[in-house]
Amino acid sequence: MTDFDFEPYRHELRVHCYRLLGSYDDAEDLVQETFLRAWRSRGDFAGRSSLRSWLYRIATNACIDDVRRPRRVLPYQLESASFPAAALPARDDLPWLQPFPDVLLDRAEEPDAQVIRRETIELAFLVAIQHLPPRQRAVLIFRDVLGWSAKETAAALDLTVAAANSALQRARPVLRAQLPPHRAEWSVTASTAAEQALLRKYVDAWEAGDPDALTELMHADVRITMPPYPFWFQGRDAARQTLIPNLDPTYRGDWRFLITSVNRQPTLAAYLREPGDTAYRPFGLDVFRIEAGLIAELTAFEYNDFRRHNLPDYLASA
């Protein structure tokens, strides 16, 4: 009889649930739900599969149940946001999307865990896969991300092998259609020295208050998104209009940045010192997709739980 030690699987199950849901907080909750369901049904575990496979099955079904319920949406007030009205096209947004700490991705790569490749945890992948129905999403993750066989996948989802293969065939073209162009050309390694250098140039331009220097680092069709706000900005002109107010210390205050990474992508942790404050406080994470040496996409999360990312709670004034 197994001793039902679930804890060694926590980190990789968290990543698995995150891929299915796109929300870190929801993934945390669903890992706890997985362990609760597993403990309650431990008498049914007959050892026909490994404990790991059994937990993945429970986690996947818990996530599928969760997707069918209304999603947790972070609160926001669109009318209070000071953004150029001309740069607010409608979009199929994912207001629950959250960043995933790289420090926890590293823990999920402990022995016997699935190695987490950058292209399977980047935000673009997370957004694209949300367009799939939950069961197709699960099949694609099992087959193309975790490398499970059709037979293993079918068993995990209570499908026939033919149904699992059919779901995969339907899922792949939808995913490809939702991913940005030229994705096959992206680097799938850790953030490169060139990407780090580009972020340093970005910080220098920001500190100099130079919007032209900032937009010169961007592709002409750069896209900026700001979850949970249900809009996006497309192109250098819209990006410039969006950034200019923040370069003025009288608008919000003074900024400092730390170079880091989340979702295996180059990231700036933004700290803001508001007027009258003596320290820079966590404000948000700017996650970059860099293509051919320029910024192709910037996802700006207004988010201050920096401890989760092993980042300082504040930065002292110089």
Side-chain angles (χ1 to χ4, degrees):
M1 174 65 70
T2 179
D3 60 3
F4 293 102
D5 183 7
F6 304 148
E7 194 60 32
Y9 304 96
R10 177 179 296 277
H11 297 306
E12 58 180 296
L13 288 172
R14 185 195 288 120
V15 174
H16 180 61
C17 293
Y18 176 72
R19 284 194 181 108
L20 285 165
L21 302 174
S23 164
Y24 177 90
D25 289 335
D26 287 345
E28 285 273 78
D29 291 345
L30 266 296
V31 172
Q32 291 301 112
E33 174 67 16
T34 296
F35 288 173
L36 181 61
R37 291 187 185 189
W39 182 253
R40 286 173 174 170
S41 61
R42 63 192 184 280
D44 299 331
F45 179 64
R48 289 187 295 270
S49 65
S50 68
L51 180 61
R52 179 173 180 264
S53 296
W54 185 62
L55 289 172
Y56 267 88
R57 176 177 182 161
I58 295 172
T60 302
N61 285 295
C63 288
I64 289 173
D65 291 344
D66 185 74
V67 169
R68 291 171 177 157
R69 294 194 291 268
R71 299 311 310 273
R72 176 191 308 182
V73 177
L74 300 178
Y76 63 86
Q77 292 184 334
L78 181 60
E79 64 273 13
S80 68
S82 300
F83 299 119
L88 302 179
R91 62 161 299 197
D92 180 16
D93 63 293
L94 300 175
W96 61 84
L97 184 68
Q98 292 177 316
F100 197 103
D102 274 13
V103 63
L104 296 181
L105 290 177
D106 294 339
R107 291 178 187 173
E109 289 183 359
E110 291 170 351
D112 299 327
Q114 177 71 26
V115 173
I116 297 165
R117 303 189 310 273
R118 178 173 173 177
E119 73 270 24
T120 69
I121 201 69
E122 286 177 321
L123 294 175
F125 177 83
L126 269 294
V127 170
I129 202 171
Q130 302 299 310
H131 290 84
L132 296 174
R135 204 165 293 277
Q136 285 186 29
R137 196 184 309 173
V139 168
L140 186 137
I141 289 174
F142 277 131
R143 295 296 312 279
D144 289 355
V145 176
L146 297 176
W148 286 29
S149 69
K151 182 178 179 180
E152 290 170 321
T153 300
L157 295 169
D158 293 321
L159 299 172
T160 65
V161 171
N165 286 334
S166 176
L168 182 63
Q169 290 170 1
R170 294 195 302 272
R172 282 172 172 166
V174 174
L175 181 67
R176 285 195 296 268
Q178 295 297 332
L179 288 169
H182 313 300
R183 185 171 188 266
E185 301 169 13
W186 300 359
S187 167
V188 294
T189 60
S191 185
T192 66
E195 290 174 341
Q196 299 287 303
L198 183 65
L199 289 195
R200 286 192 290 271
K201 289 180 182 178
Y202 186 94
V203 172
D204 290 344
W206 190 289
E207 292 177 347
D210 188 343
D212 293 329
L214 283 171
T215 54
E216 284 175 2
L217 301 174
M218 302 177 179
H219 281 280
D221 60 349
V222 64
R223 182 170 71 170
I224 298 178
T225 57
M226 300 178 176
Y229 299 107
F231 51 77
W232 58 349
F233 304 91
Q234 187 81 40
R236 283 178 176 167
D237 289 343
R240 190 177 189 280
Q241 292 181 59
T242 305
L243 295 172
I244 281 177
N246 291 287
L247 300 176
D248 181 357
T250 63
Y251 173 60
R252 287 187 188 269
D254 296 309
W255 299 89
R256 287 182 65 184
F257 300 91
L258 294 180
I259 295 176
T260 183
S261 65
V262 303
N263 292 77
R264 298 286 192 238
Q265 293 180 248
T267 300
L268 289 177
Y271 290 78
L272 175 65
R273 186 183 65 182
E274 296 180 346
D277 201 348
T278 59
Y280 293 83
R281 312 289 178 182
F283 180 84
L285 295 172
D286 295 338
V287 186
F288 294 81
R289 177 169 65 84
I290 296 172
E291 185 179 322
L294 293 172
I295 298 165
E297 187 167 0
L298 168 58
T299 305
F301 293 97
E302 289 192 18
Y303 170 93
N304 58 18
D305 188 2
F306 279 15
R307 287 187 180 182
R308 182 180 290 175
H309 299 266
N310 276 3
L311 292 166
D313 285 338
Y314 69 93
L315 299 177
S317 299

